[in-house]
Amino acid sequence: AQEPRASLRVRPTLCLVDSATDSCKARFALSWQAIGMGDYCVGASLQQQPLRCWVAASEGSHLDVRAAGESFGYWISDATSATQLAQVRVEVLRLDTGDRRRSRRTRHVWDVL
């Protein structure tokens, strides 16, 4: 197995959506580190253009404020070849389960008699 040329860390990797909203809004802290100096870019799967690029760097960080209604990913790539070196997936979870059992009125055992 070949050692990866770069690593990417994203915090948080989980975003919760409640029943009152259709998307979660959060601040995502991205940090990356590469084995050698180079030109690198970080981006998100929900957009075409990179979020930020670095020239002659081996590490960097970026703060991204985003509202998302579905799971998505962040990536780091080599700026010259656009080859993705690492990815991190952010999961968007909905709190409303749609389970009707939770909305039903609870009954006491003596109510049936």
Side-chain angles (χ1 to χ4, degrees):
Q2 187 178 1
E3 186 175 323
R5 292 178 33 204
S7 63
L8 177 65
R9 196 170 80 202
V10 178
R11 297 287 182 247
T13 56
L14 181 64
C15 201
L16 300 176
V17 178
D18 63 5
S19 58
T21 60
D22 59 348
S23 65
C24 70
K25 186 172 183 181
R27 296 168 58 122
F28 297 97
L30 288 75
S31 61
W32 63 272
Q33 191 169 25
I35 291 175
M37 297 286 278
D39 300 342
Y40 299 98
C41 292
V42 293
S45 62
L46 299 177
Q47 66 186 58
Q48 296 276 355
Q49 299 298 321
L51 298 172
R52 183 171 175 195
C53 293
W54 292 263
V55 176
S58 63
E59 63 182 8
S61 61
H62 179 72
L63 185 64
D64 186 38
V65 178
R66 179 172 301 274
E70 60 187 36
S71 298
F72 64 97
Y74 286 106
W75 46 262
I76 182 168
S77 68
D78 185 343
T80 56
S81 67
T83 303
Q84 289 189 6
L85 305 173
Q87 293 181 344
V88 174
R89 184 157 177 83
V90 176
E91 296 291 331
V92 176
L93 297 178
R94 299 199 177 278
L95 294 177
D96 56 333
T97 63
D99 189 356
R100 293 185 322 181
R101 290 178 293 177
R102 292 180 185 236
S103 62
R104 268 193 263 157
R105 191 180 96 203
T106 57
R107 296 183 184 185
H108 192 272
V109 68
W110 297 111
D111 286 349
V112 294
L113 297 176

